[in-house]
Amino acid sequence: MSEEWPKITSRKIIKISQWMDVMAREVEFSKGDAPQTYYAVSQLDYLAILAVTPDGRIPIVHQYRPAVEAFTWELPAGLLEKGEDAAQGASRELLEETGYPAKNVRFLGSASACTGRLNNQVHTLFMETGEQVADFKPEPGLTVALKTPAELVAMIRAGEFVQQLHLGAIMLAELKGVLALPR
């Protein structure tokens, strides 16, 4: 056994639903210390998709989120299914949520969703789309809107677009040079 600390002395997984487990970890921070219990939510990895349509607009979605008991504006997003490639999953989610097919896909990076309580990753992808499919009907309760980069920035400044993981995706897109935001 390693003599390095901290040490995880035990793990217990508590199944909550098909989307989430809770993991309890006993952590010993130094030799002889009593272990402390830390909990984390275990979920599939997230996908965050920043897409640009042929006319240069960004599809965003409006939907009710029970966790915050409010409607939110967000980028198209979803969960990465087990064994699924991030580009495949993101293309699937983009089409399901917005009706826009992915043409060119660029992986922007992966990061921890929340190092304090979540053990999953968020994979951010940038996509250039084709034209929206002709027979597209959004999922019940979901509204799709197209925003210019300036309109999206105005929404962020007004506090109308607040999903932190998606703000990070927008920042990554700008840092990687695939999106220019007006100041």
Side-chain angles (χ1 to χ4, degrees):
M1 186 172 201
S2 170
E3 290 300 317
E4 295 181 25
W5 278 266
K7 290 183 183 182
I8 308 248
T9 59
S10 71
R11 287 181 182 85
K12 179 181 178 185
I13 297 174
I14 305 153
K15 184 90 174 146
I16 302 297
S17 75
Q18 68 185 37
W19 297 285
M20 162 179 126
D21 297 334
V22 172
M23 182 178 285
R25 291 181 182 92
E26 295 289 326
V27 181
E28 184 179 295
F29 281 93
S30 60
K31 190 173 184 168
D33 281 357
Q36 298 178 40
T37 305
Y38 287 82
Y39 296 92
V41 174
S42 179
Q43 294 181 302
L44 295 172
D45 284 357
Y46 299 144
L47 297 164
I49 305 143
L50 179 62
V52 176
T53 61
D55 65 359
R57 293 183 295 166
I58 300 165
I60 61 174
V61 296
H62 192 247
Q63 60 189 316
Y64 184 77
R65 292 297 198 177
V68 294
E69 299 181 14
F71 283 91
T72 62
W73 283 105
E74 303 174 6
L75 295 176
L79 296 175
L80 181 63
E81 296 175 4
K82 287 186 182 196
E84 187 176 38
D85 172 75
Q88 265 183 324
S91 296
R92 172 185 50 77
E93 287 289 347
L94 179 66
L95 187 61
E96 286 174 6
E97 291 190 7
T98 70
Y100 283 92
K103 287 184 79 178
N104 296 316
V105 178
R106 181 170 173 187
F107 181 75
L108 298 180
S110 296
S112 294
C114 170
T115 58
R117 296 287 177 258
L118 302 174
N119 71 350
N120 63 341
Q121 297 276 300
V122 57
H123 306 287
T124 303
L125 295 98
F126 174 79
M127 298 182 174
E128 293 174 343
T129 75
E131 296 294 334
Q132 189 178 46
V133 296
D135 59 348
F136 174 71
K137 289 188 183 10
E139 299 169 11
L142 190 102
T143 303
V144 179
L146 297 174
K147 300 294 179 181
T148 65
E151 291 169 329
L152 184 58
V153 167
M155 290 178 75
I156 293 166
R157 287 188 173 135
E160 298 168 356
F161 189 99
V162 298
Q163 217 285 25
Q164 186 63 43
L165 295 175
H166 296 176
L167 293 170
I170 293 165
M171 183 194 75
L172 271 176
E174 184 164 72
L175 290 174
K176 301 272 181 157
V178 297
L179 179 70
L181 296 176
R183 302 283 181 238

